[in-house]
């Protein structure tokens, strides 16, 4: 279980996140939606200890993460797929998967071949260098790389950005499959369509503050929130 309370995050003097309280229960699937610049990526980076200065409580299974380096957080089973994907351009698709290390309780990890069987669009590109993949192909590889680590918490930063609609549809199944083994999900997105298919609970962020937290049906009923913060 991930428990964030009273999180304030800063880039230098800029105060970006203001008192965020957010929980992802064990096996739970939660979305954080908001417009450009709302603070979604800053929130995920704060969870990983990768960039912004964070004040407040971040706990994973009761452990305080604040003093832990990003790699140590990853070793606890937190798999972060950042906005820029961080695919290694001079390694092949296969090698990008081969080098993933498991976390302390990952058990037997799937082989790259087994993971590629789950990503039919990637499979034929096994020997292609990461650096020449299209944006969408890199996004699939980033998701495959998260899946192979057998994560306990999947942190996705706008995985559907720039993807063709048919690939977005397929990606719903990928995310659901990864979450099936009890992995929790925190999904940052702008696509409501994708988010509601992947999660049960939703937070809306605006200017670094949560302005709504509830079930999707509750968000549908909150017309003022939809209009004001999401533009629907
Ligand atoms: N490295 C940085 N230094 C200073 N300010 C930053 C930095 N990164 C982001 N910001 C600012 O923090 C705010 C939140 O940005 P963030 O990237 O978290 O938004 P986001 O919700 O992920 O937006 P998007 O949907 O466009 O990715 C923005 O005002 C942005 O300009
Ligand atoms: Mg972002």
């Amino acid at each position: 279980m991930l428990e964030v309370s009273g999180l304030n995050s800063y880039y230098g003097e800029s105060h970006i996140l203001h008192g965020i309280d957010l929980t992802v229960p064990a096996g739970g699937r939660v979305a954080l939606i908001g417009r450009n610049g709302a603070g979604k990526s800053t929130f995920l980076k704060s969870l990983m200890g990768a960039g912004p200065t964070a004040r407040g409580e971040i706990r994973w299974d009761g452990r305080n993460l604040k003093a832990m380096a990003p790699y140590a957080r990853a070793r606890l089973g937190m798999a972060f797929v950042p906005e820029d994907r961080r695919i290694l351009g001079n390694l092949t698709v296969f090698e990008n998967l081969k080098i993933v290390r498991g976390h302390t309780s990952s058990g037997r990890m799937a082989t790259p071949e087994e993971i590629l069987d789950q990503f039919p669009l990637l499979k034929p590109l096994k020997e292609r260098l990461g650096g020449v993949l299209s944006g969408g192909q890199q996004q699939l590889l980033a998701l495959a790389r998260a899946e192979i680590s057998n994560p306990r918490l999947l942190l996705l930063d706008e995985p559907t950005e720039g993807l063709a609609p048919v690939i977005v549809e397929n990606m719903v199944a990928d995310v659901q499959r990864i979450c099936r083994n009890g992995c929790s999900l925190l999904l940052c997105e702008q696509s409501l369509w994708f988010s509601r298919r992947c999660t049960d609970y939703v937070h809306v962020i605006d200017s670094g503050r949560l302005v709504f937290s509830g079930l999707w049906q509750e968000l549908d009923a909150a017309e003022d929130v939809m209009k004001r913060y999401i533009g629907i």
Side-chain angles (χ1 to χ4, degrees):
M1 165 148 150
L2 176 75
E3 292 167 286
V4 178
S5 61
L7 179 72
N8 286 275
S9 295
Y10 307 79
Y11 290 111
E13 300 283 290
S14 305
H15 189 172
I16 307 292
L17 299 182
H18 302 262
I20 306 280
D21 297 317
L22 186 154
T23 298
V24 183
R29 300 181 303 161
V30 173
L32 178 64
I33 63 174
R35 292 193 279 230
N36 292 123
K40 303 178 298 295
S41 300
T42 303
F43 183 69
L44 291 183
K45 288 175 189 165
S46 301
L47 297 183
M48 289 311 286
T53 306
R55 302 224 169 84
E57 289 269 308
I58 305 173
R59 291 186 173 274
W60 170 244
D61 283 348
R63 280 167 86 155
N64 190 345
L65 299 185
K66 284 285 291 298
M68 295 176 78
Y71 77 87
R73 300 183 200 205
R75 294 285 291 155
L76 294 177
M78 298 170 71
F80 176 36
V81 179
E83 258 173 328
D84 59 4
R85 318 301 161 207
R86 303 278 168 90
I87 297 303
L88 296 173
N90 54 357
L91 296 187
T92 64
V93 166
F94 182 86
E95 289 163 343
N96 266 278
L97 294 171
K98 186 81 192 158
I99 60 166
V100 174
R101 285 182 68 192
H103 56 84
T104 44
S105 52
S106 55
R108 178 196 170 269
M109 282 169 61
T111 63
E113 287 86 354
E114 286 166 340
I115 291 294
L116 286 170
D117 283 339
Q118 305 289 350
F119 290 89
L121 293 174
L122 274 184
K123 201 174 172 184
L125 311 175
K126 192 175 149 189
E127 299 305 332
R128 193 165 294 178
L129 289 179
V132 302
L133 297 180
S134 73
Q137 291 164 343
Q138 289 203 4
Q139 273 159 305
L140 290 174
L141 178 55
L143 196 61
R145 198 179 50 186
E147 179 169 10
I148 202 171
S149 76
N150 209 358
R152 297 187 56 223
L153 172 64
L154 182 59
L155 303 171
L156 297 180
D157 197 352
E158 295 202 48
T160 70
E161 199 187 355
L163 293 188
V166 59
I167 300 187
V168 173
E169 275 172 40
N170 284 330
M171 197 179 266
V172 173
D174 293 328
V175 171
Q176 289 176 346
R177 181 185 65 246
I178 298 172
C179 291
R180 215 172 285 147
N181 299 325
C183 173
S184 310
L185 171 68
L186 179 58
L187 170 68
C188 288
E189 259 297 341
Q190 296 200 51
S191 164
L192 294 184
W193 186 90
F194 183 77
S195 304
R196 76 165 71 233
R197 275 160 188 77
C198 293
T199 63
D200 312 307
Y201 201 81
V202 54
H203 299 273
V204 180
I205 185 168
D206 189 73
S207 301
R209 289 181 172 82
L210 294 187
V211 292
F212 174 88
S213 301
L215 299 168
W216 281 99
Q217 307 87 283
E218 293 169 332
L219 179 60
D220 291 335
E223 284 177 22
D224 53 324
V225 175
M226 285 296 226
K227 263 200 209 113
R228 195 159 159 202
Y229 301 111
I230 302 170
I232 290 174

